[in-house]
């Protein structure tokens, strides 16, 4: 749970073990990440075990529950069926005014 005002974003990537995205880092504990991966989110902004600045779900089921907590209107299955392919094909662009991704025309 967030401890103060901040932003939440949803990042999707299929990965396991050493293939975790480098922005998150393999070390879950910020005091380790500061040394092992200082440019990661946890290495840069994590404060403690419970205030580690980022979270990665351990399974699809956990991810769906956690996504619903922060983004109650987001429907994972609808996104997978209708929009995911555009992200994988680099056919989206970020609208910085509305802070959303749009499918390129």
């Amino acid at each position: 749970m967030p401890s103060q005002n901040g932003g939440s974003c949803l990042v999707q990537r299929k990965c396991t073990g050493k293939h975790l995205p480098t922005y998150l880092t393999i070390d879950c504990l910020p005091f380790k990440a500061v040394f092992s991966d200082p440019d990661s989110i946890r290495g840069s902004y994590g404060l403690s075990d419970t205030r580690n600045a980022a979270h990665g779900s351990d399974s699809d089921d956990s991810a769906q529950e956690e996504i619903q907590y922060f983004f109650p209107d987001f429907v994972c299955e609808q996104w997978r069926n209708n929009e995911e392919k555009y992200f994988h094909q680099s056919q989206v662009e970020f609208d910085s005014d509305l802070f959303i991704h749009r499918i390129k025309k």
Side-chain angles (χ1 to χ4, degrees), residues 10-23:
L10 178 59
V11 178
Q12 185 260 351
R13 178 176 174 172
K14 294 180 182 183
C15 57
T16 58
K18 66 179 182 173
H19 296 104
L20 286 171
T22 56
Y23 57 83

Side-chain angles (χ1 to χ4, degrees), residues 47-62:
L47 300 175
S48 69
D49 294 358
T50 57
R51 298 175 69 195
N52 64 19
H55 174 72
S57 301
D58 60 0
S59 70
D60 286 346
D61 290 338
S62 292

Side-chain angles (χ1 to χ4, degrees), residues 3-100:
S3 60
Q4 58 184 325
N5 291 338
S8 295
C9 68
L10 178 59
V11 178
Q12 185 260 351
R13 178 176 174 172
K14 294 180 182 183
C15 57
T16 58
K18 66 179 182 173
H19 296 104
L20 286 171
T22 56
Y23 57 83
L24 190 56
T25 194
I26 292 174
D27 287 315
C28 294
L29 304 176
F31 73 87
K32 289 184 178 180
V34 164
F35 299 104
S36 67
D37 201 356
D39 294 328
S40 68
I41 291 173
R42 284 193 184 127
S44 298
Y45 303 106
L47 300 175
S48 69
D49 294 358
T50 57
R51 298 175 69 195
N52 64 19
H55 174 72
S57 301
D58 60 0
S59 70
D60 286 346
D61 290 338
S62 292
Q64 287 188 355
E65 286 181 32
E66 295 157 358
I67 289 166
Q68 289 307 300
Y69 177 82
F70 289 101
F71 307 97
D73 296 330
F74 186 83
V75 181
C76 293
E77 196 63 32
Q78 180 180 343
W79 182 82
R80 280 191 194 107
N81 292 336
N82 301 326
E83 299 174 35
E84 182 179 21
K85 62 185 173 193
Y86 297 108
F87 284 81
H88 290 291
Q89 298 168 357
S90 298
Q91 295 179 348
V92 294
E93 57 193 3
F94 185 69
D95 182 326
S96 59
D97 293 329
L98 298 176
F99 210 70
I100 61 171

